[in-house]
Amino acid sequence: MQEITREPIGIGQQRMCFVHPEDPRLAIKIGKNGDDRQNRADIRFYSGLKNQGAATGIHIPRFHGSCETNRGDGIVVDLVRNYDGEIARPLNWFLAHGYPIEEFEESLEALRQFFLLHLIVFDENLAIDDLLVQKTSASRVRLVAINRLGQVAKQGALAFLARRKIQRRWEGFIETVYFSREVLLQREAMLSLIHISEPTRPNAPSRMPSSA
């Protein structure tokens, strides 16, 4: 049994995420109040990926099995870190700190292509805080989906139907991104600057690296 003594590094609606006590490269996800439905859904998802022969560790963390802890049963996955060892932050954090959504369009497109290629029918409630921005080098980033992974459709004659569904869900997801609070606040800030007669240029954040 794994003894977890530190506070979680992330708390969602259904789960808490902890750094693995024996390996800082891994994370343990545990359902709140013993609710393991999301973990069981993830296990089915990773089983589907394995059956399809899809590689993980790029846009989806690798799965390392289940484990028992003093806080309940959990699943073990890669802890998404940047090239410098820092834990990757979610996309909404960058948007809230002034990074324009346009700087992530290439990374978003790469994720869409990954979903389509591997027939990943992600959850229709996928949100921007379910995506981590992983810096793979000083000049490259990629998006990693960590929650609401959905299910994996089977390859075959009906795969085109799954891709249609993925595309529809992606279009809905992108709409929620561009109408998210973080992006709307960016738009409002830009409009306010336009209406100032002699605007002073704010200290803009450095540009995000390019997509991996």
Side-chain angles (χ1 to χ4, degrees), residues 60-179:
I60 301 287
R62 284 184 293 264
F63 176 68
H64 299 276
S66 303
C67 71
E68 294 182 355
T69 80
N70 59 312
R71 298 203 179 202
D73 294 340
I75 61 171
V76 183
V77 296
D78 286 345
L79 176 55
V80 183
R81 293 182 180 271
N82 298 326
Y83 74 99
D84 58 3
E86 181 183 16
I87 296 175
R89 296 181 183 273
L91 177 57
N92 62 317
W93 184 93
F94 288 91
L95 299 178
H97 284 76
Y99 292 88
I101 183 60
E102 290 77 12
E103 294 192 8
F104 299 96
E105 288 178 344
E106 184 180 346
S107 299
L108 285 164
E109 175 59 18
L111 183 62
R112 183 185 75 90
Q113 293 290 345
F114 179 83
F115 286 159
L116 288 170
L117 176 64
H118 297 295
L119 300 182
I120 296 174
V121 186
F122 58 90
D123 194 285
E124 59 185 351
N125 295 317
L126 183 73
I128 54 177
D129 58 349
D130 294 322
L131 305 181
L132 299 183
V133 178
Q134 183 184 32
K135 300 177 183 178
T136 58
S137 72
S139 59
R140 309 291 287 179
V141 301
R142 66 184 170 208
L143 294 177
V144 181
I146 58 170
N147 288 316
R148 298 183 175 92
L149 301 176
Q151 57 187 336
V152 182
K154 294 182 179 180
Q155 297 282 0
L158 298 180
F160 75 97
L161 294 176
R163 291 192 171 93
R164 284 184 182 177
K165 188 172 186 179
I166 294 167
Q167 182 59 34
R168 287 197 304 270
R169 289 193 176 183
W170 184 261
E171 290 170 0
F173 167 67
I174 289 298
E175 183 175 352
T176 65
V177 171
Y178 279 86
F179 282 93

Side-chain angles (χ1 to χ4, degrees), residues 15 36-52 63 66 75 123 149-153:
R15 295 186 292 189
D36 67 345
R37 287 177 294 177
Q38 191 58 54
N39 278 350
R40 285 189 281 112
D42 279 1
I43 291 173
R44 290 192 298 270
F45 169 82
Y46 279 105
S47 177
L49 276 186
K50 182 179 180 180
N51 291 338
Q52 194 190 93
F63 176 68
S66 303
I75 61 171
D123 194 285
L149 301 176
Q151 57 187 336
V152 182

